[in-house]
Amino acid sequence: MSELNKEVLDLVWGRPSSGGVSASIFRRWTQGFVFSENEHTALEQFEGGPCAVIAPVQAFFLKNVLFNRESSNWRQMTEEEQKTELCSTLNEILESACASPTTGFCLVTWAKGQSPHASDMPAPESSQPPQEQQPNALAAKDLDFERFHSVLHKRTVMSVSELKEEVLSLYHAWRGCCGVLLFLYSVILTKGIENIRNEIQDTMEPLIDPVHGHGSQSLVNLLVTGHAVSNVWDGDRECSGMKLHGIHKQASVGFLTLMESLRYCKVGSFLKSPKFPIWILGSETHLSVFFTKDMCLVGPESPTEQARRVFQSFDPEDNGFIPESLLEDVMKALDLVSEPEYVNLVKSKLDPESLGIILLGPFLLEFFPDQDSGIPDSLPVYHYNGLKQSNHNERVEYVEGTALVLGFEDPMVRTDDTPVKRCLQTKWPYIELLWSTDRSPSLN
């Protein structure tokens, strides 16, 4: 690893001015992929920071458990099943990140005899951690930033079948001390440092923030889509002669962020409308996961949803209205009759007070009344937060709830106004949530 060390470290950790990565931030990232004792299909996060890797892995893990597995009880798993599903999930993310099959896949693991199980002393080559032993996130107390990077080994495999075998053989490494970092480095080297630099908007911004220890949007996008782009909109955009990269195809699992409800960004439909009904939810500081088993939430766009999306594309500031001068363009984009006389008639109907604006609600009611979204009146949903301290009684468990996804009518039920709901409203503006617990789940 020595010749790659500097490039990898600069990309992941930046060049901290104080001369090194803070010991407390590095320590927070030294955990492995550990399953909750209370929820067999949920990964636990011990401290803030590594959710940028753990939440995407959790989202893909849930996708595989909910939609690829035979068993009806998706919340129960034996240790052998956990091993199979976790390795299959890590494999899938590595395959997605691989820029070209000809370059192969990189796996970063401990150099022989250097695995930090039990103590910092080099272990005998044949030593395996006991099967029953629960890997401890902070086990290797003596393993600091420098020591960790001095005992890494990189191996390359050239085929998907070989990759599967290797990932499975490294199960204890993924679960043990620093497993999250070993996997992150494997993804980065599989993708290629140069490829990541070409996709990141600001190459000076490291993947892990050196002050707070949080993962960047580029890191989340790399794990979710295989591309380390910095933005969440669809496609590329030009800005002052600069090309800004976005998301280029529909993702398998989605991403929604509270930052959109605060108008800091707008997530495009490739992330908002994924192939499977699983969304990573972003707050200012943390990532959690919202999901359901009901595929209707990711069904094809209904005419009303298409109309809402097109209308909003002419309303980039999300005001809920457009200037009446744009009405003809919106109607054309939706293949509605757009003869000038008819457009003027619609204007007078939708703007009777001649305010010069067209509101979204009346526009949808005019052209798409009684449209059925295809979503049932209510459906069971779940929320996952891997941080122990963010869960009731510090037990990492899914919070169950019922979602009411309404049209644009005034809802009969008004539920909480929590960050989780505000985040989900960026996709379903009229969603209501009834949680089975006394308190709503936490985004942080």
Side-chain angles (χ1 to χ4, degrees), residues 104-119:
F105 305 91
C106 283
L107 292 169
V108 177
T109 183
W110 304 106
K112 282 185 179 177
Q114 298 294 328
S115 174
H117 302 299
S119 78

Side-chain angles (χ1 to χ4, degrees), residues 286-300:
H286 188 46
L287 297 169
S288 55
V289 181
F290 173 83
F291 63 102
T292 178
K293 294 189 286 179
D294 206 320
M295 286 296 284
C296 68
L297 272 196
V298 288

Side-chain angles (χ1 to χ4, degrees), residues 3-262:
E3 76 283 4
L4 287 164
N5 263 350
K6 177 141 177 39
E7 284 189 284
V8 175
L9 296 194
D10 286 351
L11 181 67
V12 177
W13 304 98
R15 302 176 182 87
S17 53
S18 59
V21 172
S22 121
S24 67
I25 284 178
F26 175 66
R27 184 176 56 79
R28 279 159 38 196
W29 276 84
T30 58
Q31 77 164 83
F33 293 103
V34 179
F35 287 98
S36 164
E37 289 176 12
N38 308 300
E39 193 77 75
H40 297 170
T41 55
L43 295 168
E44 236 173 67
Q45 181 183 339
F46 295 89
E47 293 186 73
C51 58
V53 175
I54 293 171
V57 169
Q58 177 70 53
F60 278 94
F61 185 87
L62 283 165
K63 169 184 78 72
N64 293 333
V65 168
L66 290 171
F67 300 103
N68 295 350
R69 193 162 163 257
E70 299 296 317
S71 171
S72 57
N73 192 349
W74 58 274
R75 292 173 78 162
Q76 292 299 321
M77 267 198 170
T78 64
E79 191 176 336
E80 195 54 38
E81 287 172 323
Q82 287 176 335
K83 176 179 179 176
T84 305
E85 292 295 347
L86 177 65
C87 290
S88 166
T89 298
L90 300 183
N91 208 70
E92 180 180 358
I93 293 172
L94 282 163
E95 280 187 58
S96 153
C98 184
S100 155
T102 55
T103 58
F105 305 91
C106 283
L107 292 169
V108 177
T109 183
W110 304 106
K112 282 185 179 177
Q114 298 294 328
S115 174
H117 302 299
S119 78
D120 203 26
M121 294 294 290
E125 215 170 292
S126 63
S127 79
Q128 280 290 335
Q131 294 272 354
E132 307 77 37
Q133 184 189 324
Q134 183 78 340
N136 182 345
L138 311 173
K141 299 267 191 307
D142 305 324
L143 196 72
D144 63 12
F145 188 80
E146 301 296 328
R147 174 92 174 102
F148 170 67
H149 290 96
S150 72
V151 294
L152 296 182
H153 169 71
K154 179 192 120 179
R155 61 176 90 159
T156 303
V157 298
M158 297 309 295
S159 70
V160 171
S161 58
E162 203 183 341
L163 175 70
K164 285 179 179 167
E165 282 176 31
E166 286 291 328
V167 168
L168 205 56
S169 74
L170 290 171
Y171 178 62
H172 289 295
W174 308 130
R175 296 247 305 160
C177 172
C178 298
V180 168
L181 280 177
L182 294 176
F183 177 65
L184 171 58
Y185 287 4
S186 300
V187 171
I188 287 167
L189 291 176
T190 293
K191 172 75 178 178
I193 292 169
E194 201 51 44
N195 292 325
I196 292 176
R197 286 210 178 107
N198 291 338
E199 289 172 350
I200 289 180
Q201 200 166 297
D202 178 2
T203 52
M204 297 305 288
E205 183 200 351
L207 295 178
I208 296 173
D209 182 279
V211 178
H212 304 290
H214 303 130
S216 68
Q217 188 64 49
S218 294
L219 172 50
V220 176
N221 287 347
L222 172 62
L223 292 162
V224 171
T225 69
H227 297 279
V229 297
S230 308
N231 304 298
V232 290
W233 57 60
D234 290 347
D236 296 338
R237 292 185 182 180
E238 288 280 339
C239 181
S240 309
M242 216 170 109
K243 185 181 264 195
L244 305 180
H245 297 297
I247 307 297
H248 277 264
K249 63 177 185 180
Q250 184 187 28
S252 290
V253 300
F255 177 79
L256 302 172
T257 172
L258 191 61
M259 296 299 99
E260 181 168 344
S261 73
L262 301 171

Side-chain angles (χ1 to χ4, degrees), residues 291-315:
F291 63 102
T292 178
K293 294 189 286 179
D294 206 320
M295 286 296 284
C296 68
L297 272 196
V298 288
E301 231 178 9
S302 71
T304 308
E305 287 164 337
Q306 184 198 11
R308 184 193 299 280
R309 177 175 56 77
V310 169
F311 188 100
Q312 287 175 333
S313 71
F314 287 88
D315 172 24

Side-chain angles (χ1 to χ4, degrees), residues 297 304-305 308 311-312 318-321 359-365 373 375-379 402-416 420-434:
L297 272 196
T304 308
E305 287 164 337
R308 184 193 299 280
F311 188 100
Q312 287 175 333
D318 222 8
N319 295 315
F321 62 82
L359 293 167
L360 173 62
F363 174 81
L364 292 175
L365 278 170
S373 69
I375 297 173
D377 292 342
S378 68
L379 66 157
T402 301
L404 314 169
V405 183
L406 306 159
F408 41 84
E409 67 278 6
D410 195 38
M412 302 289 286
V413 183
R414 279 248 189 251
T415 58
D416 54 8
V420 168
K421 181 173 158 187
R422 289 202 297 277
C423 190
L424 296 174
Q425 281 175 321
T426 62
K427 169 149 176 79
W428 302 283
Y430 300 97
I431 193 169
E432 295 296 336
L433 299 159
L434 302 164

